[in-house]
Amino acid sequence: MKKLKDMFDKPYLLVIELREGFNTHNTYSSLQQAISERDKSSEDGHDPICIYNLNSKRYEWNEEEGPLYYETIAETVISSYYR
């Protein structure tokens, strides 16, 4: 059984690099919402890094062709949700 604190109402975390050195993130209640925002951010010229499910603790999508520091950004943001 999962701990109550690990259950998120909006479990789909989208991490985006706005420009080098600046990133943002938000959570969504459905994977489709997160995918839609990911696509919109790409159209706006930003670089989506990943969509992570905070409840199942797995990536739903991640940018595999991005720079290596994307992994560091994703890990830092994800870990902040479990503190």
Side-chain angles (χ1 to χ4, degrees), residues 10 12-16 24-28 34 37 77 81:
K10 294 181 176 183
Y12 298 98
L13 171 65
L14 172 62
V15 182
I16 300 169
T24 188
H25 52 90
N26 203 354
T27 57
Y28 301 91
E37 289 300 316
V77 173
Y81 279 83

Side-chain angles (χ1 to χ4, degrees), residues 8 16 38-40 49 51 55 58 62-63 69 74 78:
F8 294 87
I16 300 169
R38 175 199 67 192
D39 295 345
K40 193 163 104 176
I49 295 173
I51 298 173
N55 287 337
R58 69 183 177 104
N62 66 317
E63 178 55 72
Y69 66 86
I78 291 165

Side-chain angles (χ1 to χ4, degrees), residues 49-64:
I49 295 173
C50 70
I51 298 173
Y52 186 84
N53 186 321
L54 294 165
N55 287 337
S56 66
K57 298 182 179 180
R58 69 183 177 104
Y59 287 93
E60 300 291 343
W61 171 86
N62 66 317
E63 178 55 72
E64 295 179 0

Side-chain angles (χ1 to χ4, degrees), residues 11 14 25 29 32-34 43-44 47 51 64 66-67 70 72-73 78 80 82-83:
L14 172 62
H25 52 90
S29 56
Q32 187 54 47
Q33 284 178 312
E43 291 171 5
D44 291 344
D47 297 316
I51 298 173
E64 295 179 0
Y70 276 10
T72 303
I73 292 170
I78 291 165
S80 73
Y82 296 109
R83 289 187 195 145

